[in-house]
Amino acid sequence: MDMAELKQFIFFDFEMKCDDRGMAYENMEAIRLGAVKYDLQTRRITSFDRFIQPATRDPLSPFCKNLTGIDDRDLETADPFPVVYSEFLFWTGGVKKSRFFSWSKSDLSRLKIDSHLHGLPAVTLEKIEKRYVDFQDIFSKGVSKVNLSVENALAIYGAAFEGEAHHPMYDSYNTLRVFLRYYSEPVTSDIEMARAFILNGEEIELATINERIKEVLTADIAELTDNLHFAYRMTNVKKLLKKVSKTVGKYDNILINRSGIFTEDILHLVHQLNAFNKNLLESFQEHLECSSRIMIIDDYSETTLKNLK
């Protein structure tokens, strides 16, 4: 998408039919759609909130009523999905100038399934999908390592959830708040990332974070070096590749360094670790193509790793 066209962010969330006894996902029709629109120029926030009358008119389960706060009476006079979807599109003011977000891809899946259920044209949905971002996925890969609730994500920044729980408009609004904190507070985001990915959750101060990361990184590199052999049977190489890849993945976010808090020596070590991994993968592929039974660790790869100790 041409970034020059981008004028607003749309955060949206569905509440769906549910039952604590279990329910097939395709049957969990949307019963409420909430969203907020964030104007990139004015920073003005506007909201959208509609109940949706499901195609299947079975009463909601007591569990669903309690969880969502939605009662059957709320749905009796509600419009069906096609009408609410049309109102939602009109409210956005233009799909092409929007980027769409939700906290987990399940909301996009719900949009697609219910659109198909009602035989709605796919063209607009395809445009939304091209402009869609699963922000929970971005947050877990870049900060928390695990999928957190919106409430717990806000807590990382010292903020509390605002509004009603399991209310899709408030869920959307608070997802926007996480998004804004994520980009406006990169130091907090990177400290939490280091805690989650590298330091096993230990508390760490900004003043000592680089020293502590270097200790752990050096220990991880030493473990790889001390267990590195001159040659491997090809059947055993995959274990080595998996171990190295896991170590590299542990430090990948360091290289993004959005906050600028990570020092040059740490960045250099991580770059070199990535170079070792790349050489190892290329060597494995070459040996594989030659139908080798034994893989020799080349001098460059071995020297690259040992120089990091």
Side-chain angles (χ1 to χ4, degrees):
M1 180 172 60
D2 182 358
M3 291 300 292
E5 296 179 353
L6 189 60
K7 295 183 179 180
Q8 59 198 20
F9 292 153
I10 307 293
F11 288 76
F12 69 99
D13 180 69
F14 284 106
E15 287 301 320
M16 298 171 276
K17 295 174 71 174
C18 52
D19 197 317
D20 57 347
R21 295 170 297 180
M23 179 181 288
Y25 188 75
E26 57 268 23
N27 296 330
M28 296 172 65
E29 288 185 75
I31 53 177
R32 193 173 192 175
L33 171 59
V36 293
K37 178 166 54 179
Y38 180 76
D39 188 290
L40 295 177
Q41 183 175 5
T42 66
R43 299 185 181 182
R44 180 170 177 256
I45 299 171
T46 52
S47 62
F48 179 92
D49 179 29
R50 297 288 189 280
F51 289 110
I52 303 171
Q53 186 180 94
T56 304
R57 300 295 299 277
D58 298 332
L60 297 177
S61 69
F63 170 81
C64 193
K65 292 177 183 179
N66 183 61
L67 179 69
T68 65
I70 299 173
D71 192 85
D72 293 309
R73 288 171 295 182
D74 296 319
L75 308 181
E76 288 175 359
T77 58
D79 289 316
F81 181 86
V83 175
V84 175
Y85 179 50
S86 178
E87 290 179 350
F88 172 70
L89 294 177
F90 180 80
W91 169 81
T92 64
V95 169
K96 287 186 177 181
K97 63 182 181 181
S98 305
R99 180 159 290 165
F100 295 83
F101 299 81
S102 71
W103 193 256
S104 102
K105 208 168 186 176
S106 62
D107 296 291
L108 178 65
S109 297
R110 186 78 267 148
L111 182 61
K112 292 167 67 175
I113 291 172
D114 283 22
S115 294
H116 180 74
L117 173 67
H118 293 277
L120 300 179
V123 59
T124 302
L125 188 61
E126 289 170 357
K127 292 177 182 177
I128 291 175
E129 189 167 13
K130 287 179 181 178
R131 294 162 172 79
Y132 172 78
V133 177
D134 175 0
F135 188 61
Q136 185 188 55
D137 183 61
I138 289 178
F139 195 82
S140 63
K141 289 178 178 177
V143 178
S144 62
K145 193 176 182 179
V146 297
N147 287 339
L148 298 178
S149 66
V150 174
E151 183 177 6
N152 287 337
L154 282 168
I156 289 173
Y157 303 99
F161 189 95
E162 295 182 4
E164 302 173 30
H166 296 291
H167 185 307
M169 190 271 289
Y170 285 113
D171 283 342
S172 300
Y173 172 63
N174 283 284
T175 301
L176 167 63
R177 292 178 65 221
V178 177
F179 176 90
L180 295 175
R181 292 290 187 114
Y182 172 74
Y183 283 105
S184 66
E185 299 182 30
V187 171
T188 302
S189 299
D190 275 350
I191 290 175
E192 181 62 25
M193 178 279 296
R195 290 183 65 250
F197 282 85
I198 301 169
L199 305 177
N200 293 320
E202 72 177 67
E203 294 297 331
I204 192 72
E205 298 292 333
L206 179 60
T208 58
I209 191 169
N210 283 287
E211 179 183 350
R212 185 70 184 104
I213 289 174
K214 192 169 184 178
E215 288 176 3
V216 177
L217 176 55
T218 303
D220 284 341
I221 291 170
E223 183 180 354
L224 289 176
T225 305
D226 294 344
N227 291 284
L228 190 66
H229 304 301
F230 171 71
Y232 290 83
R233 291 183 180 276
M234 289 296 284
T235 52
N236 294 328
V237 175
K238 288 186 178 179
K239 292 181 180 178
L240 173 64
L241 293 174
K242 185 176 181 180
K243 186 173 184 178
V244 174
S245 177
K246 184 178 180 180
T247 303
V248 168
K250 184 175 178 179
Y251 297 96
D252 264 349
N253 287 318
I254 291 286
L255 297 178
I256 301 172
N257 200 19
R258 290 194 306 116
S259 63
I261 64 173
F262 303 118
T263 57
E264 288 297 324
D265 58 334
I266 287 179
L267 292 171
H268 174 72
L269 287 173
V270 178
H271 274 298
Q272 290 298 99
L273 184 60
N274 274 270
F276 169 72
N277 184 48
K278 181 182 178 183
N279 292 332
L280 195 65
L281 288 170
E282 291 176 350
S283 179
F284 172 71
Q285 190 61 39
E286 290 172 3
H287 283 76
L288 199 63
E289 290 173 357
C290 294
S291 301
S292 303
R293 294 185 178 182
I294 301 293
M295 174 174 159
I296 307 297
I297 302 297
D298 63 90
D299 291 340
Y300 179 78
S301 294
E302 187 174 7
T303 301
T304 298
L305 187 61
K306 288 184 176 180
N307 285 343
L308 296 180
K309 292 183 67 177

